[in-house]
């Protein structure tokens, strides 16, 4: 189902674990800051709405989405008590194939962090054809990808906790 038919900000709190005991890392790309900061706010607000505590959320910034992989890797190494990490980026098609290489590198890199590591890393990276699509998915008419990512982070943190027993 395409995003346009499935609002990114919709969630049912009765189906989401309480986040009060979870600690979250959020790594934010500085490219397209209006978009990435909008997604950060969506994620931050959703974590608090689901019982999370603002003191249990740590934010790091990186220059661009390509650096999200390294930033998330170092965050998981620096804070071993984290329960989930969210990688936030906005990649927008330009004139060249650079878009393709950045998107592929970031998606594969974050996938690798999940396969190789123990802390879930959530893929909150918009890969849009233009700025309007990015605006619509970071708090616009299609909702906020950051909200969706926060809900995924809470659920994956709970899954990791349950998997220990
Ligand atoms: N064009 C976009 C970029 N490009 C920068 C790369 O992510 C990277 O920082 C650079 O190649 C140096 O390694 N990044 C985005 O996040 N969004 C873009 O639209
Ligand atoms: C995703 C990018 O790196 C892209 O926005 C850069 O623009 P261009 O392809 O015109 O150099």
């Amino acid at each position: 189902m395409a995003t346009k038919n499935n609002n990114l900000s919709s969630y049912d709190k009765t189906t989401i674990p309480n986040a009060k005991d979870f600690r979250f890392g959020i790594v934010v790309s500085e490219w397209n800051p209006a978009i990435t900061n909008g997604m950060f706010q969506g994620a931050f607000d959703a974590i608090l709405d689901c019982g999370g505590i603002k003191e249990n959320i740590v934010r790091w910034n990186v220059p661009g989405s390509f650096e999200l992989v390294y930033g998330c890797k170092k965050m998981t190494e620096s804070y071993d008590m984290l329960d989930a990490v969210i990688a936030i980026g906005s990649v927008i098609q330009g004139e060249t194939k650079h878009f393709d290489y950045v998107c592929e590198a970031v998606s594969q890199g974050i996938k690798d962090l999940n396969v190789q590591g123990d802390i879930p890393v959530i893929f909150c990276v918009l890969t849009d054809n233009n700025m309007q699509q990015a605006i619509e998915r970071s708090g616009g008419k299609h909702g906020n990808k950051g909200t969706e990512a926060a809900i995924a982070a809470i659920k994956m943190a709970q899954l990791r906790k349950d998997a220990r027993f």
Side-chain angles (χ1 to χ4, degrees):
M1 179 185 292
T3 296
K4 67 181 180 181
N5 301 317
N6 183 23
N7 190 284
L8 294 165
S9 296
S10 298
Y11 59 91
D12 177 357
K13 283 174 68 174
T14 67
T15 68
I16 300 164
N18 190 301
K20 67 181 176 63
D21 296 326
F22 292 142
R23 291 144 301 192
F24 301 93
I26 306 181
V27 183
V28 184
S29 164
E30 294 171 339
W31 257 79
N32 303 314
I35 303 302
T36 58
N37 284 322
M39 288 194 282
F40 171 81
Q41 197 60 53
F44 186 86
D45 292 346
I47 290 170
L48 299 191
D49 186 50
C50 292
I53 299 168
K54 65 180 180 181
E55 289 78 12
N56 288 350
I57 301 171
V58 58
R59 172 176 172 167
W60 286 1
N61 293 339
V62 293
S65 290
F66 187 88
E67 286 75 36
L68 285 171
V69 179
Y70 182 84
C72 289
K73 177 179 178 292
K74 297 308 289 185
M75 181 169 275
T76 61
E77 293 172 351
S78 302
Y79 297 95
D80 61 1
M81 79 297 187
L82 290 178
D83 298 290
V85 172
I86 301 173
I88 293 180
S90 167
V91 191
I92 297 176
Q93 176 68 64
E95 296 177 345
T96 72
K97 296 178 66 176
H98 196 240
F99 171 89
D100 300 331
Y101 290 97
V102 171
C103 293
E104 178 71 11
V106 176
S107 59
Q108 292 298 320
I110 290 173
K111 177 266 291 179
D112 292 343
L113 292 178
N114 282 283
V115 170
Q116 296 162 9
D118 176 54
I119 298 172
V121 181
I122 306 304
F123 184 72
C124 185
V125 181
L126 290 174
T127 56
D128 298 301
N129 295 314
N130 53 59
M131 179 59 76
Q132 184 58 35
Q133 288 181 345
I135 290 168
E136 291 170 351
R137 290 159 175 79
S138 58
K141 70 176 183 179
H142 293 319
N144 193 321
K145 192 78 173 177
T147 305
E148 177 197 57
I151 302 309
I154 295 167
K155 290 181 175 180
M156 292 308 292
Q158 187 64 52
L159 181 147
R160 176 173 176 264
K161 181 180 179 181
D162 295 345
R164 290 180 180 158
F165 300 103

